[in-house]
Amino acid sequence: MPFTIATWNINSVRLRMPIVERLLKEHAPDVLCLQETKVPDELFPEKAFRKAGYEHILFHGQKGYHGVATVARRPIELVEKRRFCEIDDSRHLSVRVQAGGGSVLLHNFYVPAGGDEPDPEINRKFRHKLDFVHEMNGVPASQDDASILVGDLNIAPQEHDVWSHKQLLNVVSHTPVETEGFEAMRRAGGWVDLMRLNVPAEQKLYTWWSYRAKDWEASDRGRRLDHVWSSANLVPRFKGYEILKAARGWEKPSDHVPVIARFDLE
DNA sequence: ATGGTGGGTAGCCCA
């Protein structure tokens, strides 16, 4: 029995509860990490998760914006709700979960989108995004602990993580200052990009398709904004993953789709 | 070249 972790930017957990239930029923991940829950903690739909068999629920939410939650079928222990850039946004939650006879430290992140203008001098949201990613250098993969980091990191680091590298070089999410800072942070932290581990660099990978396309599937102008990383010591346990592209076509979809990673940890 | 579509929530913020 593999240990499975799903990550999904849900763009309002309350509005999306029907398709969250569908994911849990059809794929039954052991742990689900949600981003953009857009709900204060006191209004989090705990009952629906319990009813679906996910009785272990931790959240870091706020009213209207951002918000992350980690729910599980097995016990999870709160480690930290970290504050970044000295701003009280709800963008991080780490938990410890028992798996494979040991424990895994699991980070759930929602990195700032960064606004439209890719110039930190005139766009403070872009400045914030760069600063946030830089501050993630303070969240390294532990050398002697099994660590996993998932979430909507809002950056598509490689050429084939976007539908057109050339056309997106000046578009927030794929600018060189973002992708270089992102990859430097990932490597410095000792994190392995599991979604690219066994996939050729020239193969397109997307987890997000804009709401603004007339036909998201036909135009297929996607980006890989959602990520699954682990510490090097977990790589031998990594058994593959799935991008649930079909979820983009579900009723009232999120613009992101779930990614489910499997580990041989039982 | 531009604006396109969503969500939260009260007239705009944000993705």
Side-chain angles (χ1 to χ4, degrees):
Chain A
M1 272 273 283
F3 173 65
T4 56
I5 295 179
T7 180
W8 197 6
N9 176 317
I10 199 60
N11 188 16
S12 172
V13 69
R14 285 177 291 179
L15 192 72
R16 249 31 113 185
M17 217 45 224
I19 59 170
V20 171
E21 286 163 356
R22 179 170 175 183
L23 172 80
L24 298 178
K25 190 172 180 183
E26 293 183 4
H27 295 272
D30 291 291
V31 184
L32 170 62
C33 295
L34 294 167
Q35 303 86 36
E36 274 208 278
T37 52
K38 293 185 172 177
V39 63
D41 291 347
E42 61 272 20
L43 296 179
F44 191 88
E46 289 187 73
K47 250 186 216 166
F49 280 98
R50 287 216 186 84
K51 199 174 168 192
Y54 291 74
E55 296 186 12
H56 307 278
I57 301 167
L58 291 167
F59 34 64
H60 183 193
Q62 66 184 83
K63 186 177 178 180
Y65 304 103
H66 324 313
V68 291
T70 299
V71 305
R73 289 134 62 90
R74 60 179 77 188
I76 49 175
E77 177 194 337
L78 175 64
V79 175
E80 191 179 13
K81 301 176 181 181
R82 196 185 278 224
R83 186 165 172 265
F84 286 79
C85 304
E86 299 178 354
I87 297 172
D88 285 322
D89 283 349
S90 301
R91 297 185 177 277
H92 169 265
L93 174 65
S94 56
V95 308
R96 193 165 280 285
V97 55
Q98 300 301 314
S103 80
V104 173
L105 176 60
L106 172 61
H107 293 276
N108 178 358
F109 268 97
Y110 176 51
V111 171
D116 288 331
E117 181 56 57
D119 180 349
E121 300 302 320
I122 60 176
N123 174 7
R124 61 187 165 79
K125 287 191 277 187
F126 194 66
R127 175 81 268 158
H128 177 215
K129 182 180 197 176
L130 299 179
D131 290 346
F132 191 102
V133 169
H134 182 71
E135 203 169 318
M136 285 175 72
N137 279 297
V139 187
S142 171
Q143 301 281 351
D144 37 36
D145 198 6
S147 305
I148 295 173
L149 186 156
V150 304
D152 175 6
L153 306 185
N154 265 317
I155 291 173
Q158 296 192 21
E159 279 198 35
H160 296 285
D161 291 335
V162 294
W163 62 276
S164 169
H165 174 61
K166 279 187 183 172
Q167 286 181 253
L168 288 172
L169 271 172
N170 202 33
V171 174
V172 171
S173 73
H174 194 62
T175 64
V177 64
E178 288 170 273
T179 59
E180 287 163 17
F182 183 86
E183 286 293 79
M185 175 273 289
R186 182 180 62 73
R187 289 194 200 99
W191 295 106
V192 178
D193 177 358
L194 295 178
M195 294 176 69
R196 277 288 176 196
L197 190 62
N198 300 309
V199 175
E202 60 276 11
Q203 183 179 326
K204 294 290 188 187
L205 287 179
Y206 310 143
T207 63
W208 172 91
W209 291 262
S210 172
Y211 283 127
R212 296 177 188 178
K214 274 185 188 148
D215 183 335
W216 70 272
E217 197 167 20
S219 56
D220 199 25
R221 295 184 167 191
R223 304 178 200 172
R224 182 169 72 112
L225 303 179
D226 303 274
H227 297 270
V228 180
W229 295 353
S230 83
S231 48
N233 50 26
L234 264 184
V235 170
R237 297 279 172 215
F238 174 60
K239 296 298 164 188
Y241 74 99
E242 188 180 358
I243 298 172
L244 295 187
K245 185 178 178 181
R248 186 62 180 77
W250 288 354
E251 190 82 12
K252 295 266 296 168
S254 169
D255 45 356
H256 296 251
V257 299
V259 180
I260 305 180
R262 299 188 305 277
F263 297 87
D264 185 13
L265 289 170
E266 125 186 11

